[in-house]
Amino acid sequence: MRMMIKGLLIACGSVVVLSACSSIEKPVSAPVASLYANVTPLDLRLSSWPYPYPVKEFKTSLQGQVASMIYMDVPAEGRQKGAVLLFHGKNFSSDYWEPVIAALSQAGYRVIAPDQIGFGKSSKPDVQYHFDDLAANTEALLTSLGIKRVSVIANSMGGMVGVRFARLYPKIVHKLVLEDPLGLEDYSKDIPAQQNDNLLKLEMAQTEISYRKFLHGYFPNWQPVYEQFVEVYVRVQKGSDYPAYARTSVLTYQMIAEQPIVNDLPKLKMPVLLVIGQKDRTVFGRRFAPPEAVKSLGNFPELGRKAVQVIPNAKLVPIENVGHVPHVEVPDVFNRAVIEFLNSKP
């Protein structure tokens, strides 16, 4: 099946605009002229953007506002071994899990892949976002589906949601996979607080070229398929809903900035697998940090080694020559490690 990788929101910053997180910059080729000058705009809910599996709607609320959570529910092939819940990162929606969903389904797992409220095809209310609320809505989704126990796979910002979900609902979470999660360090110690108005100005200044440059830093081994991330961003920017889209990006940035989860790590009781790309140097809010502080931030190989020491029942799988999203960059390697972990006895 063709891997479909789409981006959502400028979660990780570029040199020009809002930087929720960014990798160490490296030289890239000369700017490419717009590849999407004549594309059809996308609306706030990415209505015309195709997902790899049929989507369903779960009606819920966030901060008192009615909201819809869109999700994929993919059955296991053959005898079901269990259910797996996927938490996407800030600059992604659930469709970037396509290679993982396919592998898990073939391995006998039912897969639930939601777009969190504020992302992808789900509602984007103008409210203050909290990890606990996202976790609560996800638990309600599982209840509506009659699922009482899951293993969780969580990437980037999704790792922060996944940790909070595991802490709030430990009886539900069988095993936890953290793939290059944000939150392995407390960003609030080094990243100055930012005002929403300033963040929004930076977000609105984003361009196709700056977003593409950001992605080149995010994926150390750039592949043409990653261009799909640029496409979805540019198509949203061309639409009338872009200001609301950008506003949601700002609000979810503040969620990461204000709600560290590093102190939750020692309290995780279930088996945990840490999958860490060894070229990942993602730093949340990098552009706002003092230069000296940046030097000590975002060293994911080191952060992974420290995390496995404080989580009671954890295993570390380092993946060489890979950045922040191993399941996209080296899906076969990632899937083998994860399925072996899921199949193993606790």
Side-chain angles (χ1 to χ4, degrees):
M1 182 179 295
R2 183 177 66 88
M3 180 171 62
M4 300 176 67
I5 311 169
K6 289 87 175 178
L8 174 67
L9 304 180
I10 173 63
C12 298
S14 70
V15 199
V16 179
V17 297
L18 170 58
S19 173
C21 49
S22 59
S23 302
I24 293 176
E25 292 181 14
K26 63 180 182 180
V28 298
S29 56
V32 178
S34 175
L35 300 179
Y36 309 108
N38 300 313
V39 295
T40 303
L42 290 170
D43 62 15
L44 189 61
R45 300 283 296 273
L46 310 186
S47 300
S48 61
W49 188 254
Y51 272 29
Y53 299 93
V55 297
K56 301 179 180 180
E57 179 183 24
F58 173 63
K59 295 183 178 180
T60 181
S61 64
L62 189 71
Q63 297 289 311
Q65 291 195 27
V66 175
S68 294
M69 179 184 286
I70 303 303
Y71 66 98
M72 293 177 284
D73 182 355
V74 182
E77 296 183 9
R79 185 176 65 86
Q80 182 175 318
K81 297 178 182 177
V84 178
L85 171 67
L86 306 179
F87 284 113
H88 60 76
K90 186 180 186 297
N91 32 296
F92 306 106
S93 45
S94 60
D95 59 339
Y96 86 142
W97 289 114
E98 180 183 2
V100 178
I101 296 172
L104 290 173
S105 176
Q106 292 169 11
Y109 291 93
R110 178 184 180 182
V111 185
I112 309 300
D115 284 346
Q116 292 298 315
I117 303 298
F119 302 88
K121 292 180 178 289
S122 292
S123 299
K124 298 172 182 67
D126 187 356
V127 299
Q128 186 174 4
Y129 285 75
H130 296 278
F131 290 126
D132 288 8
D133 290 340
L134 299 186
N137 273 322
T138 307
E139 189 275 337
L141 169 64
L142 295 180
T143 298
S144 75
L145 297 174
I147 299 175
K148 297 181 179 180
R149 195 158 172 80
V150 294
S151 291
V152 171
I153 304 175
N155 170 240
S156 193
M157 180 211 72
M160 301 179 79
V161 187
V163 168
R164 291 304 301 148
F165 184 84
R167 289 282 294 119
L168 289 170
Y169 309 105
K171 293 182 179 180
I172 296 178
V173 180
H174 178 51
K175 294 181 178 180
L176 174 62
V177 178
L178 297 175
E179 176 196 6
D180 289 78
L182 293 183
L184 295 181
E185 53 194 339
D186 186 350
Y187 307 111
S188 64
K189 294 180 179 179
D190 298 292
I191 310 299
Q194 301 296 312
Q195 297 297 314
N196 285 355
D197 289 347
N198 181 53
L199 293 176
L200 186 59
K201 289 178 182 178
L202 295 171
E203 184 72 42
M204 294 296 292
Q206 178 66 296
T207 68
E208 176 181 335
I209 291 174
S210 64
Y211 190 68
R212 184 178 289 112
K213 184 174 182 179
F214 145 70
L215 285 179
H216 273 269
Y218 202 67
F219 294 97
N221 305 298
W222 181 259
Q223 301 295 326
V225 68
Y226 304 156
E227 188 63 34
Q228 294 179 75
F229 287 113
V230 184
E231 179 187 351
V232 72
Y233 170 77
V234 173
R235 289 178 62 181
V236 172
Q237 190 182 50
K238 287 178 176 293
S240 60
D241 289 336
Y242 181 67
Y245 185 93
R247 171 72 177 172
T248 305
S249 179
V250 168
L251 295 170
T252 52
Y253 172 99
Q254 298 292 28
M255 174 175 64
I256 299 172
E258 297 169 358
Q259 301 169 46
I261 52 88
V262 65
N263 292 331
D264 287 326
L265 299 179
K267 301 172 185 177
L268 296 170
K269 303 303 182 185
M270 66 289 297
V272 176
L273 180 68
L274 283 157
V275 181
I276 304 295
Q278 297 299 286
K279 283 194 172 182
D280 190 1
R281 297 298 185 273
T282 301
V283 178
F284 172 80
R286 180 187 185 91
R287 66 169 295 147
F288 304 121
E292 288 303 312
V294 169
K295 294 179 181 179
S296 64
L297 294 172
N299 187 335
F300 268 76
E302 180 181 352
L303 291 170
R305 289 190 292 269
K306 289 181 177 179
V308 79
Q309 293 174 359
V310 301
I311 299 172
N313 185 9
K315 176 185 177 182
L316 175 64
V317 174
I319 303 183
E320 298 297 330
N321 200 37
V322 167
H324 195 57
V325 196
H327 81 261
V328 168
E329 297 170 80
V330 286
D332 291 344
V333 175
F334 179 85
N335 291 335
R336 281 197 300 271
V338 168
I339 291 172
E340 179 181 348
F341 173 69
L342 296 180
N343 287 343
S344 64
K345 295 182 179 180

